[in-house]
Amino acid sequence: MRKTLFFCLTICLQCIPIQHVSAQKNPKNVIFLIGDGMGLSQIYAGMVANGNKLNLERCTYSGFSKTYSANNFTTDSGAGGTALACGVKTNNGMIGMSSDSVAVQSILELASQNKLATGIVVACAVTHATPASYVAHQVNRNMYEEIAADYLKTDIDVFIGGGRKYFEDRTDGRNLTSELKAKNYQIAYKLDSVKAIKSGKLVGLLYDDQNPNMPERGNMLPEATESAINMLHDNTKGFFLMVEGSQIDWACHDNNSVQVIKEMLDFDETIGKALDFAKKDGNTLVVITADHETGGMAIIDGKFGSDQMKAVFTTKGHSGIPVPVFAFGPGAENFSGFMENVSFKSKLEKLLKLKK
Ligand code: MG
Ligand code: ZN
């Protein structure tokens, strides 16, 4: 008995140092969260109003992403999304292609080609610039019907947001929902239906056009994200999920700090869902960043626990400053210091060991 115990202890003690020097772990899954228009002031506005805390703070690494586009010091969400998704600087307004109009494969498309499960969950129409950058290839972000049709050309497993009319009420007479059903997608028009579907392929078109803002949208973003994670997690090869807090940007265009806080806290709740899963799972990398900052927002004064703060906006548009990056999980150390917005695709490609 005593001999056996001694033997076990010897083995175990020998194992411990080996584990410590073993090769760095690669993630199996990636959850990439984009806060559209989310700079440091937007994050801090949410943090102050929330009593000096955010889920975001659970991330172990942080850095900055340089957001300028190919033709502009200040990017729009088309070029910004394309940089994050496809790893190329393009002209403002373009989706999923280089500045000379050549389509570039996105990290989501590459992951799908490598048999990972893929998904998109957004707080706007799924045809809007940021999600579009992950599935579509169009010269102009306003080509919503063309962008909707591009979803049919992918093998994406789950996508949830608004924009139903671009699938069903089209100038070309196609009904993309019927075409999606023929490709074995289950269609959900309500959040409850999304939550009831536990496996297979899913399209959630929850609003005719854009999703309403907070609080009218309710728990759409965090709950749809949780549903998507649970569905994609079934895939043995891993998954790539992009989630967007789409309307931080819109509140900043309106220079409305109270609304910025509402959208920021909704996005942070969603981040919490991703981090909870990643912590439990142990094989999931969570990366959080923005496509650009909006409003040139500064916070002059405030009170912890209150959404009443002295915030100043210097523009109704976007600003050109770098945006924060946060990461948690295996591979998180690759997202510290200053980086270009075009570096995310190659970093994730390597970490997920995707083959072209
Ligand atoms: Mg966006
Ligand atoms: Zn914007």
Side-chain angles (χ1 to χ4, degrees):
M1 182 77 182
R2 209 172 265 173
K3 253 186 194 165
T4 317
L5 182 67
F6 176 74
F7 180 71
C8 285
L9 273 174
T10 315
I11 296 289
C12 291
L13 288 171
Q14 277 173 349
C15 287
I16 291 165
I18 293 167
Q19 278 178 344
H20 276 290
V21 295
S22 68
Q24 217 170 50
K25 200 172 149 187
N26 280 66
K28 186 178 163 194
N29 315 307
V30 169
I31 306 174
F32 196 84
L33 299 109
I34 302 171
D36 197 313
M38 185 185 73
L40 191 54
S41 293
Q42 287 76 3
I43 292 169
Y44 197 55
M47 196 181 286
V48 169
N50 199 43
N52 198 17
K53 59 181 186 298
L54 284 181
N55 286 309
L56 202 54
E57 292 178 73
R58 289 154 59 187
C59 290
T60 48
Y61 287 86
S62 57
F64 295 97
S65 166
K66 297 188 246 181
T67 65
Y68 63 92
S69 70
N71 70 338
N72 211 302
F73 182 80
T74 305
T75 191
D76 83 313
S77 291
T82 299
L84 297 173
C86 305
V88 291
K89 297 261 185 195
T90 194
N91 294 340
N92 283 8
M94 295 179 86
I95 298 292
M97 44 175 60
S98 59
S99 55
D100 47 1
S101 305
V102 177
V104 182
Q105 191 179 42
S106 75
I107 183 72
L108 185 147
E109 290 169 318
L110 184 61
S112 174
Q113 188 184 298
N114 280 262
K115 306 291 176 218
L116 274 74
T118 55
I120 286 176
V121 181
V122 291
C124 64
V126 295
T127 48
H128 210 245
T130 312
S133 300
Y134 283 82
V135 292
H137 306 279
Q138 299 293 341
V139 289
N140 191 302
R141 58 181 287 176
N142 298 321
M143 297 164 74
Y144 295 134
E145 292 191 2
E146 289 82 353
I147 289 166
D150 277 353
Y151 273 91
L152 272 298
K153 296 177 187 161
T154 71
D155 284 321
I156 186 168
D157 295 277
V158 175
F159 59 99
I160 306 166
R164 180 176 172 179
K165 70 174 185 179
Y166 305 110
F167 289 78
E168 298 182 359
D169 184 15
R170 298 167 54 86
T171 50
D172 64 3
R174 280 173 75 183
N175 185 323
L176 300 187
T177 304
S178 305
E179 294 181 31
L180 285 163
K181 277 183 193 157
K183 285 184 78 180
N184 292 323
Y185 284 93
Q186 305 161 87
I187 313 290
Y189 296 122
K190 294 254 181 320
L191 182 60
D192 282 345
S193 321
V194 164
K195 285 156 72 177
I197 297 167
K198 307 284 184 197
S199 61
K201 292 189 154 205
L202 166 68
V203 181
L205 296 171
L206 308 185
Y207 310 97
D208 194 41
D209 195 353
Q210 300 296 350
N211 307 16
N213 65 11
M214 289 305 289
E216 205 191 317
R217 199 169 65 242
N219 283 330
M220 178 262 144
L221 190 66
E223 289 188 4
T225 299
E226 204 171 20
S227 289
I229 290 171
N230 289 333
M231 287 182 77
L232 299 175
H233 186 42
D234 282 346
N235 188 38
T236 50
K237 288 215 151 197
F239 70 82
F240 174 85
L241 172 66
M242 191 285 282
V243 178
E244 187 199 19
S246 318
Q247 299 196 31
I248 300 165
D249 174 67
W250 305 354
C252 290
H253 280 294
D254 290 340
N255 289 182
N256 181 342
S257 59
V258 173
Q259 190 58 32
V260 170
I261 290 163
K262 290 194 181 100
E263 295 294 344
M264 186 62 222
L265 293 181
D266 175 60
F267 185 50
D268 187 63
E269 193 185 326
T270 310
I271 289 167
K273 301 279 186 198
L275 291 173
D276 287 347
F277 172 79
K279 193 178 174 195
K280 198 168 66 182
D281 177 66
N283 293 308
T284 301
L285 167 67
V286 176
V287 180
I288 304 146
T289 190
D291 49 355
H292 53 74
E293 194 272 349
T294 305
M297 186 186 185
I299 302 168
I300 315 286
D301 199 5
K303 199 167 124 222
F304 293 105
S306 164
D307 67 357
Q308 297 302 306
M309 57 190 68
K310 197 173 172 192
V312 181
F313 293 88
T314 56
T315 174
K316 289 258 181 189
H318 300 168
S319 76
I321 57 166
V323 288
V325 180
F326 302 90
F328 176 90
E333 65 280 3
N334 292 282
F335 299 89
S336 66
F338 270 87
M339 61 203 95
E340 289 286 348
N341 58 359
V342 290
S343 69
F344 290 95
K345 187 195 176 190
S346 55
K347 284 180 187 188
L348 296 177
E349 206 176 291
K350 265 189 217 118
L351 286 165
L352 287 170
K353 297 180 176 166
L354 303 180
K355 292 193 180 72
K356 283 179 194 162

